[in-house]
Amino acid sequence: MALLHILFFCHFLADFGLTSPAMIKAKADGRNPWPILLHASIHAGLVTLCLLFWHTPWKLLLMMTLMELVSHFLIDTGKGLLTARFPILADMKKKPYWMLFGLDQLLHLTILVLIWQLC
């Protein structure tokens, strides 16, 4: 269970502490993939470090790193594209914004639970 808590903390750190203004801007509309890819790479790097400390076999570690990288990139890009297409999703004062934010976080955390289960 400790690994899962560490993975959740790393997710929080990467999403709210290590996200640059350029990444936030790119994630807002999903159109510029490079800052989103960098953001996803930070997430994947932190997952890799966690799994290294947990002595995860290298093949599994590579698979989990790739799963985190690809899923994080796709989730954030998809959220940005939806937000750009439907402006109500960009208005923090409206419930749909928070519902999409919650779904985004639920998807990310579900991936981390899957990684934890597989390791």
Side-chain angles (χ1 to χ4, degrees):
M1 200 64 150
L3 175 60
L4 183 61
H5 291 128
I6 293 168
L7 289 169
F8 282 178
F9 175 76
C10 286
H11 175 81
F12 171 79
L13 181 65
D15 252 8
F16 302 106
L18 301 174
T19 301
S20 72
M23 292 173 196
I24 293 169
K25 184 178 179 191
K27 287 173 31 171
D29 65 15
R31 293 189 180 117
N32 184 358
W34 300 112
I36 301 171
L37 184 58
L38 178 58
H39 173 73
S41 297
I42 291 169
H43 278 274
L46 289 174
V47 165
T48 301
L49 286 175
C50 290
L51 297 181
L52 278 171
F53 283 118
W54 237 255
H55 305 290
T56 305
W58 70 272
K59 286 183 183 179
L60 185 58
L61 183 136
L62 289 175
M63 286 177 19
M64 297 303 102
T65 297
L66 186 60
M67 183 168 65
E68 176 65 15
L69 176 70
V70 171
S71 67
H72 209 95
F73 176 79
L74 291 175
I75 292 165
D76 283 359
T77 300
K79 180 183 173 201
L81 292 171
L82 277 172
T83 301
R85 176 80 168 95
F86 302 103
I88 193 168
L89 298 174
D91 187 349
M92 293 176 66
K93 296 177 184 173
K94 305 279 184 183
K95 190 174 183 176
Y97 171 89
W98 294 105
M99 291 178 69
L100 183 60
F101 177 81
L103 177 61
D104 168 81
Q105 292 300 303
L106 176 66
L107 292 172
H108 290 311
L109 296 180
T110 299
I111 295 296
L112 293 178
V113 169
L114 182 60
I115 289 170
W116 172 67
Q117 284 291 309
L118 293 171
C119 290

